[in-house]
Amino acid sequence: MKQSIIFSLLLVLLSPIFSTITLAQSPAAAPKPPTKPKPAPAAPAAAPVKPLVPSLPQSPTSDTSSGEDIVKILRKAKNFNTMIRLFKTTQIINQVNAQLVTSKTGGLTIFAPDDGAFSNLKAGFFNSLSDRQQKALIQFHVLPVYVSSSNFDSLSNPVLTLASDSPNGYQLNVTAYGNSVNISTGVVNATLTGIVYSDKVLAIYHVDKVLIPLDFSKPKPIAPAPALAISPKADKDNSSAEDTDQGDSTKENSGALKLLGVQGTMLVSIGVAFAAALTIFS
């Protein structure tokens, strides 16, 4: 009996020790799976190129406009009635439309002054130009290449225009910085204020002034002086003077001949007398 009690007490006393050993010898907890490295944050997408020239509120788009019909585009944009009229009267609209059809890769860029810009010109300015200058003025507002609204800073100055009939004629300078595009002709400094229309081959921009070429201010070559005309009276006087001189000369010659004739007769008479005297005395 006593042995049973002692054995029970020993079991009670030793049970914590055995449980500690059991826990110590229990298999280690399974290792945690390695954490996957977080993927590097993706590089932010490149921001779209911001156009240097803002769009105008009334600018037609390629979806709403009739494609490359420049007159309809300008009429839809409003306030370009003078530009439309000059395009038609100078017939430059035919040249521009033909170039759009034949040069799909190059395209065109048009700087369009509004009616207010034309009204700021000196009264009668356009009518004071010759027909050739009127055409050149409108052509001077057209570049024979397409320039997008964000690509003006890639142009190399001086820039040729549709009016450039030589490498040094009818050129302008384009300066782009910040959100501004300025145009200098040597006579006028203008600014592009908005996009009237733009697609892949045609761009029309609103310019705040009429672009007047420096070529209009170059001095014209001096024409040779005309030959002096002689009046009929002067001719008559000269003719009379010549006749008088000729008459005097004739009279002098006639007098000289008469003198020679008299002298010759005298010499002959003397000679005959001398011969007769020689005959008598011999």
Side-chain angles (χ1 to χ4, degrees):
M1 183 68 181
K2 290 181 179 180
Q3 292 177 350
S4 300
I5 294 170
I6 293 170
F7 184 75
S8 298
L9 291 173
L10 289 173
L11 289 176
V12 172
L13 293 174
L14 293 176
S15 59
I17 297 173
F18 284 113
S19 63
T20 303
I21 295 172
T22 302
L23 291 174
Q25 293 179 350
S26 63
K32 295 182 180 180
T35 57
K36 295 180 179 180
K38 294 182 179 180
V49 179
K50 188 175 181 180
L52 299 174
V53 185
S55 298
L56 297 177
Q58 73 273 21
S59 299
T61 62
S62 57
D63 297 332
T64 60
S65 181
S66 57
E68 298 162 0
D69 192 330
I70 296 172
V71 171
K72 288 186 177 180
I73 292 172
L74 291 175
R75 185 175 291 121
K76 187 177 182 65
K78 300 178 181 179
N79 299 324
F80 294 98
N81 296 320
T82 306
M83 191 68 175
I84 293 172
R85 178 172 58 82
L86 296 179
F87 260 129
K88 291 182 176 180
T89 56
T90 59
Q91 298 183 353
I92 299 301
I93 189 64
N94 299 332
Q95 177 188 4
V96 170
N97 284 334
Q99 187 154 343
L100 278 176
V101 173
T102 57
S103 62
K104 289 291 185 181
T105 55
L108 290 175
T109 301
I110 299 175
F111 302 127
D114 59 17
D115 296 336
F118 278 102
S119 65
N120 289 331
L121 291 176
K122 184 179 178 181
F125 170 78
F126 193 78
N127 293 331
S128 67
L129 303 176
S130 65
D131 291 343
R132 184 178 182 278
Q133 286 178 322
Q134 290 179 3
K135 291 182 179 181
L137 179 65
I138 303 305
Q139 292 173 320
F140 191 61
H141 289 74
V142 183
L143 303 185
V145 293
Y146 169 76
V147 183
S148 67
S149 59
S150 58
N151 207 31
F152 278 100
D153 52 359
S154 66
L155 293 176
S156 298
N157 291 317
V159 179
L160 296 178
T161 66
L162 204 60
S164 299
D165 52 3
S166 67
N168 299 321
Y170 292 98
Q171 298 176 341
L172 47 79
N173 291 322
V174 178
T175 305
Y177 56 90
N179 292 327
S180 177
V181 177
N182 294 336
I183 299 176
S184 175
T185 69
V187 177
V188 173
N189 292 320
T191 302
L192 299 188
T193 60
I195 303 172
V196 178
Y197 175 85
S198 182
D199 57 23
K200 294 182 179 180
V201 294
L202 173 64
I204 304 177
Y205 299 100
H206 177 212
V207 63
D208 63 349
K209 295 179 183 177
V210 178
L211 305 177
I212 300 176
L214 180 62
D215 302 72
F216 287 1
S217 302
K218 292 180 179 179
K220 297 180 180 179
I222 300 174
L228 295 176
I230 301 176
S231 64
K233 184 178 180 181
D235 289 341
K236 186 176 180 181
D237 294 341
N238 292 338
S239 177
S240 299
E242 290 177 359
D243 292 342
T244 302
D245 292 341
Q246 290 179 356
D248 294 342
S249 177
T250 303
K251 290 179 181 179
E252 291 176 357
N253 293 336
S254 177
L257 290 174
K258 289 181 179 179
L259 180 60
L260 289 174
V262 172
Q263 291 176 350
T265 301
M266 291 176 64
L267 290 174
V268 170
S269 299
I270 293 171
V272 171
F274 184 74
L278 288 176
T279 303
I280 294 172
F281 288 106
S282 62

